[in-house]
């Protein structure tokens, strides 16, 4: 394994990365729990997806609500994924990308700014290079949500967090069957300049979800949208 991947905690510790967006995730989950009024036992018969897990801040947020079962994490970074699984051994960690196809894809991974990792070749990577940060390129296996759910007998997703630095629409495009059949109850996705870099927009994603009957709610904390049936 390249030493550059091992350097991911040189400037920010795992604990620091584990706290990024923690309050955002907590707020979104609290909103959905109040909306659906499900108890923990019912929720844990369903499944939760953390797409773009990074260092598990969403998993940490779930932990505060006592939710520890049927959590599927997707993080292809070879060091972050293993460390997160070590800290939260009860999760199912998948070192793959979720997308709209099952072909391999190249993931751009900054040495230290791992939260900016993306399958989109973003302009910010040139800025990071000028500041002395290397951008590693890792070939990663892709699957669609529909394919993953079929292979892993996932019949219903209670909540799905999607933070994949511009590739959010691709993730939802790969969930056509689950969305059509209303098998995904709710979730959270990030918006911002990353979508512009990917030649898409928050409007396109919202229109896609609304076409399947979902409601969109702006998260009060940051540039994120909550969606639910």
């Amino acid at each position: 394994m390249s030493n550059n991947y091992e350097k991911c905690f040189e400037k920010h510790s795992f604990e620091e990365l584990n706290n990024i967006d923690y309050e955002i995730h907590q707020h979104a989950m609290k909103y959905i729990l109040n909306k659906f009024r499900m108890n923990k036992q019912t929720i844990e018969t369903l499944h939760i997806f953390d797409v773009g897990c990074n260092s598990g801040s969403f998993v940490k947020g779930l932990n505060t609500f006592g939710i520890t079962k049927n959590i599927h994490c997707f993080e292809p970074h070879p060091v972050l994924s293993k460390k997160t699984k070590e800290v939260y051994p009860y999760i199912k960690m998948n070192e793959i990308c979720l997308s709209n196809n099952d072909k391999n894809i190249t993931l751009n991974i900054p040495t230290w700014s791992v939260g900016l990792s993306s399958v989109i070749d973003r302009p910010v990577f040139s800025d990071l290079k000028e500041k002395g940060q290397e951008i590693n390129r890792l070939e990663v296996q892709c699957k669609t949500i529909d394919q993953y759910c079929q292979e892993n007998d996932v019949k219903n997703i209670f909540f799905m967090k999607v933070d994949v630095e511009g590739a959010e629409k691709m993730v939802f495009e790969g969930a056509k069957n689950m969305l059509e059949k209303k098998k995904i109850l709710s979730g959270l996705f990030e918006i911002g300049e990353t979508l512009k870099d990917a030649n898409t927009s928050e409007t396109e994603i919202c229109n896609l979800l609304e076409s399947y009957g979902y409601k969109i709610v702006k998260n009060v904390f940051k540039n994120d949208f909550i969606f639910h049936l």
Side-chain angles (χ1 to χ4, degrees):
M1 183 184 299
S2 168
N3 288 331
N4 287 321
Y5 296 125
E6 298 286 356
K7 293 179 180 178
C8 61
F9 301 129
E10 281 188 349
K11 294 200 173 182
H12 300 283
S13 67
F14 177 84
E15 289 72 23
E16 288 179 288
L17 295 176
N18 188 230
N19 282 324
I20 293 177
D21 292 342
Y22 168 70
E23 288 187 352
I24 296 169
H25 300 151
Q26 257 200 328
H27 174 268
M29 182 54 65
K30 184 176 181 180
Y31 175 89
I32 291 300
L33 290 174
N34 288 335
K35 174 71 64 175
F36 285 94
R37 298 291 181 182
M38 291 184 183
N39 59 35
K40 185 171 76 76
Q41 288 73 26
T42 302
I43 292 169
E44 291 188 332
T45 65
L46 308 174
H47 296 262
I48 293 178
F49 278 28
D50 185 357
V51 187
C53 177
N54 199 288
S55 291
S57 59
F58 178 56
V59 179
K60 180 179 180 179
L62 291 173
N63 207 9
T64 63
F65 297 104
I67 300 171
T68 59
K69 294 181 180 178
N70 290 331
I71 302 172
H72 304 252
C73 296
F74 302 85
E75 177 51 61
H77 191 293
V79 175
L80 292 181
S81 57
K82 290 178 176 58
K83 179 63 177 177
T84 302
K85 174 66 175 177
E86 177 186 319
V87 174
Y88 303 104
Y90 51 82
I91 65 174
K92 178 177 174 58
M93 177 59 74
N94 301 274
E95 294 185 15
I96 64 172
C97 285
L98 291 181
S99 186
N100 55 9
N101 62 73
D102 60 358
K103 299 177 181 177
N104 284 6
I105 198 166
T106 300
L107 182 65
N108 302 283
I109 305 176
T111 301
W112 301 305
S113 304
V114 289
L116 299 178
S117 299
S118 177
V119 298
I120 310 299
D121 192 4
R122 302 182 58 205
V124 68
F125 296 144
S126 296
D127 297 335
L128 294 178
K129 284 180 182 178
E130 290 179 3
K131 296 175 182 177
Q133 189 165 175
E134 187 173 344
I135 308 300
N136 305 286
R137 293 170 67 82
L138 178 68
E139 188 173 358
V140 179
Q141 179 189 9
C142 283
K143 288 188 178 181
T144 66
I145 286 178
D146 287 342
Q147 178 186 4
Y148 179 87
C149 289
Q150 184 176 21
E151 292 175 354
N152 292 274
D153 195 31
V154 175
K155 292 182 171 59
N156 293 278
I157 299 173
F158 174 68
F159 191 93
M160 183 170 74
K161 184 217 91 180
V162 185
D163 183 356
V164 286
E165 298 300 304
E168 284 78 9
K169 186 185 177 189
M170 296 165 67
V171 172
F172 289 118
E173 287 173 341
K176 183 176 185 294
N177 182 62
M178 293 291 286
L179 291 170
E180 276 185 345
K181 294 183 176 180
K182 306 294 190 293
K183 297 298 184 180
I184 302 174
L185 273 67
S186 61
L188 175 77
F189 64 94
E190 186 183 53
I191 62 174
E193 285 298 312
T194 56
L195 296 177
K196 182 179 178 182
D197 293 343
N199 295 315
T200 185
S201 67
E202 61 195 69
T203 301
E204 287 188 2
I205 297 175
C206 290
N207 288 344
L208 176 65
L209 291 171
E210 287 173 341
S211 72
Y212 291 114
Y214 288 86
K215 296 179 176 65
I216 311 293
V217 180
K218 184 75 168 63
N219 195 349
V220 299
F221 271 94
K222 194 188 171 187
N223 288 333
D224 297 276
F225 279 154
I226 298 169
F227 66 94
H228 63 84
L229 290 173

